[in-house]
Amino acid sequence: MSDPALDFTPTHGIAERVSSGIRRLTARNAGPLTFRGTNCYLLGDHEVTVIDPGPDDPTHVADLIAAAGAPIRRVVVTHDHADHAGAARRLSEMTGAEIVGPAPDPSRLLHRPDRIVADGETIRTEAGELRAIATPGHTASHVCYDLAGAGLLFSGDHVMGWSTSVVVPPDGRMADYMASLDRLVALGARIYLPGHGGPVADGLARVTELKRHRQAREAAILRALESDDRTIEEIVSAIYIGLDPALTKAAALSVMAHADWLEERGLVRRITDRLSRL
Ligand SMILES: [Zn+2]
């Protein structure tokens, strides 16, 4: 069966309507970690709010301004990775839009939000009221935005359409990521509009699947440690069969995030990059 989250071939430079009052422009940054590119969402047809402006690429920013076709008033950020928030400052300087988002990581400082959103705060847009939902895990300050009236959730990199999220310690924490998945379960049914990949029609089913996937990965790590201690690298080759070599580093970071969480719960011991069962 085809999956619209995966069967997704955006036309770069052209915004596509995904719902009433909401359009999507995919940046020209396709790659092994970004799939077809970062999705930027344009809310409103007369006064535009951009959710995740994308990478700081002048061609892409020109695409965004042209696609908006109306004044861009606000740039809302899910998290401060360069492929999502890189263009915030340039777009704001060119349009006068205010930047709204979580407190930025001081080590990145891609932009300074004019308004910092906290969990539960709302942002008024032409397409309806967005509510910030703190969803740490992929990064410490990741936020999803709920457009409850439309049954839509802008899920950023917390839940993606095409792959599981990368959780990179120390900014990303597996314990937080799992708790943030539970937050979305509590939210109920929504269509997810992710940062990468097409819409996820049944967000709740996707979140449940992601939880199961992480639990299975954790079980595989514990199994790999049953007979002997292993390094992170050895665990990666034992449990990720047929992995695209371009993703080896991402897999190692994910195993490290799992290792931290197992260690926090007293299930493994870690000395440098060598793990053992307790
Ligand atoms: Zn990210």
Side-chain angles (χ1 to χ4, degrees):
M1 205 175 74
S2 87
D3 179 348
L6 288 171
D7 296 336
F8 168 64
T9 318
T11 312
H12 293 295
I14 297 187
E16 294 163 80
R17 194 159 290 278
V18 290
S19 181
S20 162
I22 300 171
R23 293 170 290 156
R24 176 189 59 218
L25 179 79
T26 304
R28 303 162 189 264
N29 62 339
L33 290 173
T34 54
F35 193 45
R36 308 279 186 245
T38 305
N39 292 328
C40 310
Y41 294 96
L42 293 94
L43 281 65
D45 295 308
H46 308 288
E47 184 195 279
V48 176
T49 298
V50 175
I51 298 184
D52 279 351
D56 186 20
D57 161 15
T59 308
H60 165 66
V61 173
D63 286 346
L64 266 177
I65 292 171
I72 297 177
R73 298 284 188 222
R74 174 173 321 102
V75 178
V76 176
V77 168
T78 60
H79 66 297
D80 55 356
H81 277 162
D83 63 324
H84 289 256
R89 191 184 305 189
R90 186 187 295 270
L91 188 59
S92 164
E93 280 168 6
M94 289 175 73
T95 62
E98 72 164 340
I99 302 175
V100 183
D105 178 342
S107 70
R108 294 196 189 97
L109 269 197
L110 296 169
H111 61 88
R112 278 180 207 285
D114 300 298
R115 179 181 158 197
I116 290 178
V117 282
D119 185 44
E121 283 186 5
T122 55
I123 302 158
R124 222 176 266 202
T125 80
E126 192 185 299
E129 199 166 74
L130 290 173
R131 187 164 61 93
I133 301 178
T135 43
H138 174 68
T139 64
S141 60
H142 189 288
V143 171
C144 292
Y145 294 96
D146 189 29
L147 192 64
L152 296 172
L153 181 87
F154 296 92
S155 57
D157 275 358
H158 178 50
V159 177
M160 301 197 288
W162 69 293
S163 164
T164 58
S165 300
V166 177
V167 176
V168 182
D171 190 25
R173 280 186 74 234
M174 193 59 71
D176 289 343
Y177 172 73
M178 295 296 275
S180 293
L181 289 179
D182 285 333
R183 281 209 76 182
L184 297 195
V185 170
L187 197 66
R190 294 285 190 279
I191 295 170
Y192 290 3
L193 297 174
H196 306 272
V200 180
D202 187 344
L204 207 47
R206 177 78 178 132
V207 168
T208 309
E209 180 194 318
L210 288 172
K211 280 184 65 181
R212 244 186 259 126
H213 168 80
R214 293 296 181 171
Q215 284 155 354
R217 183 126 293 156
E218 180 177 287
I221 293 171
L222 289 173
R223 262 197 314 278
L225 292 171
E226 242 156 38
S227 51
D228 207 353
D229 300 358
R230 285 179 196 259
T231 63
I232 301 275
E233 202 179 316
E234 287 163 353
I235 294 171
V236 169
S237 39
I239 69 174
Y240 288 83
I241 310 296
L243 180 70
D244 175 352
L247 298 177
T248 309
K249 196 170 162 233
L253 291 168
S254 177
V255 169
M256 264 162 67
H258 274 289
D260 286 348
W261 195 34
L262 287 165
E263 202 177 18
E264 283 165 33
R265 287 174 291 154
L267 294 167
V268 303
R269 179 178 28 232
R270 180 166 153 198
I271 298 168
T272 61
D273 75 334
R274 181 166 286 274
L275 299 183
S276 51
R277 284 289 294 264
L278 284 175

